[in-house]
Amino acid sequence: MDGAGREELDMEVMKPLIDEQNSDGISDEEHENSFLPVEKHYQLDNEEGITFIQTLTHLLKGNIGTGLLGLPLAIKNAGIVIGPISLVFIGVISVHCMHILVRCSHCLCQRMKKSSLGYSDTVSYAMEVGPLTALQKRASWGRYIVDFFLVITQLGFCSVYVVFLAENVKQVHEGFLENKTAPINVSATSSSSEKRSTDLRIYMLCFLPFMILLVFIRDLKSLSLLSLLANLSMAVSLVIIYQYIVRDIVDPQKLPPVVGWKKYPLFFGTAIFAFEGIGVVLPLENRMKDTTRFPQALNIGMGIVMTLYISLATLGYLRFGDEIKGSITLNLPQDIWLYQSVKILYSFGIFVTYSIQYYVPAEILIPAVTSKVEQKWKLLCELAARALLVCSTCAVAVLIPRLDLVISFVGAVSSSTLALILPPLVEILTFYKENLSLWTIFKDVFIAVIGVVGFLTGTYVTVEEIIYPASTVLANATESISADLNATNLVVGLK
């Protein structure tokens, strides 16, 4: 497979939603025609399929992102004992749901005489062959539900990236100013500290025009070199992060084994956000040369992902304790340029990845807009729509300028639906005629209930934290007052 073919496939991993429209065999002509222009972008140069190693590579790249860097804070929200155990539990369930989806897709392909099915089509056909008449009549809703949550997920990823970029670049900038003003006297240093207290939202707005220009590149093959450099920079960054956090590990007994239940939903949202790679599973399986080996590739790939997640999450929390931040990169020293370079490298990788994540909602929503305007205005209309979509992701980031809360919210709302709720329900609908065992039904219902509970509690707690961050502010204020009182008492005592 040549370079162009590999890059198209690499981009396909990040946009499974579009490809499903190409092979769904929908009878609704309007729906089919509305996605017709998109089909041109997604034809592989080599139709022979991808190898086992390529499948494994794309599985890793489709699952590792900013969610990985937020997992140490997730462990803090669960506890040093419960956190890693819960990560293993959620990881095993997520992988099991991926296997469920693949198995259901195979079964429905045989029944419907289709060569392959995507996620949204699998859900739609499962509703069509299910036992309930109400679901059969509304089978097309399944496709729209999956597409909706996939688009929300991708736009959520983009909003997370905006916050991530702003926080890391802000810290690098402040570190540069601190090093620059270090030799200067106290008065100059105090005045420079006032200058350094730039609002995080200003950094987000500074990135906005560059992100708009980036998404104006409509052919993702043009980003192939940048994508390769982004992957390398993120890999190097992870190596440097690991070598730093293993140097000075805190005694685990000093950290709480279990945290109160009010914080656990925040852990759930972040964890399921990190493990939500189910959207890339069927597109990869459909393109593999030897599909019989896909379960093995899935197990190995997700095993590596789980090992990386659990090790970085646990070691990161052990290294920084309660000081851990929304991204572990923000805990790296600001006075050492090696670790400042980590933030720059990872930020570059995330900046490039923004355009790839953005491609899914853009190619789904924009054709619906441009189809209603005259031909001479189509290009201008498309560019305007692209810019507005970027502005919407930036607006969400400005409204919720906390990386941990954005990650947890996206994870609770959309990732839990795609990764935990839909797959077990699809299995029941697909195989109900084959005398499912009570154990299988109980298992599927149990997983779906976990997903629903995580969806509701995670969304509630995150929204409450966004609207009423009083607990955090009050805690900080109390600590500040306590410190002031202690200092006053000390001065009085000396007098």
Side-chain angles (χ1 to χ4, degrees), residues 72 75-76 78-82 84 248-259 313-324:
I75 296 292
K76 176 187 173 183
I80 191 60
V81 174
I82 294 298
D248 187 16
I249 300 296
V250 177
D251 183 2
Q253 295 181 355
K254 295 181 180 179
L255 300 173
V258 182
V259 179
T314 306
L315 291 174
Y317 183 45
L318 286 173
R319 175 66 177 82
F320 298 110
D322 290 337
E323 300 299 319
I324 191 68

Side-chain angles (χ1 to χ4, degrees), residues 394-408:
C394 188
V396 172
V398 168
L399 291 173
I400 316 173
R402 278 184 56 182
L403 186 62
D404 56 328
L405 293 184
V406 180
I407 289 176
S408 184

Side-chain angles (χ1 to χ4, degrees), residues 419-438:
L420 298 181
I421 299 175
L422 292 179
L425 298 181
V426 167
E427 182 176 38
I428 293 175
L429 293 175
T430 303
F431 297 107
Y432 84 98
K433 291 182 179 179
E434 301 181 14
N435 296 323
L436 283 175
S437 65
L438 289 177

Side-chain angles (χ1 to χ4, degrees), residues 159-197:
S159 296
V160 169
Y161 291 171
V162 175
V163 182
F164 179 89
L165 287 169
E167 287 196 336
N168 281 272
V169 171
K170 179 177 187 288
Q171 202 177 77
V172 171
H173 182 226
E174 290 178 350
F176 172 76
L177 291 179
E178 284 179 6
N179 293 334
K180 187 176 180 181
T181 57
I184 303 177
N185 57 39
V186 177
S187 61
T189 305
S190 62
S191 64
S192 66
S193 76
E194 292 178 4
K195 295 179 183 178
R196 289 198 301 272
S197 60

